[in-house]
Amino acid sequence: MQYNPYLEIASLLVLAVIAVHFFGRPRFPSRRTSFFGLFLIVALVDLSADIASAFLIECAPRLLALSWSVCMLLYLCQTALAPMFFIYILSITHYIDDRRLRPFIAGSLVPALVAMIMVALNPLTHHFFYFEDSGAYYNGPLLYILYTMTVGYLALSGIFIVKKRSMLRRAEYDVMLGFTTLIILAIYLQAMRPELLLTGVALTISILMLYLVFQNPADRLDTLSGTFDREAFKHYVGSLIEQRRKFSIAMFDITDLAGVNRTFGNEAGDRTIAEVGAFLLKKSMGKGLVFRVIGDSFSVVCTREKDCADIARMTAARFKNPGRIGELALQLQSKALLFERADRCLSAEELREVIDSVFYTASRADGEPLAISDETIESVRRLSSVEDKLRRALAGGGGAIEVHYQPVFSLEKNRVVGAEALARLRDEEGKLIPPSEFIPLAERSGLIIELSDRVLETVCRFISENGLFEDGELQEISVNLSIVECLAGNLEKRIEKHAGGIDRSKLCFEITESTATAYEKLPEMLERIKSEGHQFFLDDFGTGYANFDSVMRLPVSAVKLDKSLLYMAAESEKNKKLLYGTIDMVRAVGMNIIAEGAENPEQVKTLAGCGIDLIQGFYFSRPLSAAEFLSCYKSLGANGSFSLKE
């Protein structure tokens, strides 16, 4: 039979170009990439053997041993290609990550293994092909088994593709089905016209489509720096943790890149990123993978601690010397972190939180690496546990959201005249979790609005059910507003939803100085809410977040002096004068004052000496549960049972 190998020669050239492009560029180390690389190598060997066998068959009598060897290699490759494609499809559709399917996957490869053994025994059995002593080539009686097995694996791949079509883009779905259909069609035509050698052509076209769609050279690459991107970082460290492999991370942040952009332009900033990326790639070659995890931050992930420490040391030394960007000599400042044995984290998400808690919140930028301890990891786990408990409590799945009330006392009236409503989180074991832990978590996770709604609803129901404002003695109950609530845009509707039927003038809201300066439209929004009758207090006054001018723009009726001013006043006469001056300034613009944090008689006397009437602090009462507050308010309201202690 006269074979025509020239179409396959052209296909081999195309396949060789794909291989050079694939293996000659940085490749993200994933299962998909590894399987594709192996698949590509076997396809190259298969196509080369197919072409070589076509020529050798013509001269088999002279090169009989070589012809046998090349044909054996060809049949082994062709037997392996279909199950390898099947595994590649499983890696793309993530079936291979499903532990429940692993017995099925292992079982599905048994036919391929049996076929490989049968092919290996072919010189003895002649089941698939053989050469006569004259050199004539013949197909064996069981050759159809290999065709049937190949079609079976391709059909099975098609079934998995269709089942996972919802997670695939349309182009991905079309290419995978197209590959399967094209190869099956080529096998059929090859069986009908064996001299045309069409399977190699179909294989090359299919691999080209897979390469362009699934193995895009730019996939997960940051084009500016030449490193891998943030998504690649998350995927890689996640796979290392899942595989329980040891690894360490070195991170670097160019702390003054914004200054470079402002002074020399964005082009200089981009070239800086490119230079840093090139430096890290050079120093990390053969040692680890480099990622640009965020605008001006890079990370190097190594599976050997020593390599990571060496890279951290070399990079820190490099940043201590000026660098050149074109004609510019720049002294860049960097912040570094060395996370040895990062595999101590249980997940990629936990690792991210650990790094964020140290790296992105640290101010140090001297180039010396920050370190992450076991205590840091445990702290992050504690916060993650608290967030989980908060979510369950809000969803009614365990624990509870409570509201406690810290009384505000009037020295003049010698009684409780108000209270601040404070959110409390009680876990499933009945323990209270400090608000310093769960409030920041609620703001960061987006749960703060749901939490605040729960608090506001609880406070309004507590007021209504107990007629707290009916005797006229309780002046107000205040509820805290977070910056997230103020920025959300639906604050007015939320207040209106819960506050119906309550004396609006006595349901007050507290905002902090930091919130007051974060949102330029805040005064306008607060004015609208104030027009409905509500009052606003400025909390934490004196902590320095806002100047007095910004405070004056807000429709607040009272300020709550931060306890730090009270503590400072006890340290020196100068600090005491600062406290007095602050109080006089607030009074001069007609605002009331509530002092927070009084814990002992001396502090209360200091405040009384300043003419402060309203005081909130542990000296009088800790935050109380609703029942305790009700009892406290009624008993003090009846007999005025406390007095300033000597």
Side-chain angles (χ1 to χ4, degrees), residues 29 48 62 98 190 226 269 278 404 427 463 470 558-559 592 611:
S48 300
R62 298 189 304 274
D98 191 338
Q190 183 82 59
H404 287 196
D427 64 17
I463 292 171
E470 293 177 1
V559 299
N592 294 324

Side-chain angles (χ1 to χ4, degrees), residues 96 109 122 184 218 240 256 285 289 300 309 353 360 380 408 449 474 483:
I96 203 166
L109 296 178
N122 182 74
I184 292 175
L240 290 176
D256 54 352
M285 187 175 297
L289 298 183
V300 182
E353 291 179 355
Y360 293 113
V380 168
V408 175
I449 293 181
L474 198 64
I483 186 172

Side-chain angles (χ1 to χ4, degrees), residues 19 50 219 233 252 377 404 421 473 502 572 606 623:
D50 204 9
D219 185 34
F233 174 75
F252 309 95
I377 298 174
H404 287 196
E473 294 294 337
I502 293 175
S572 68
T606 298

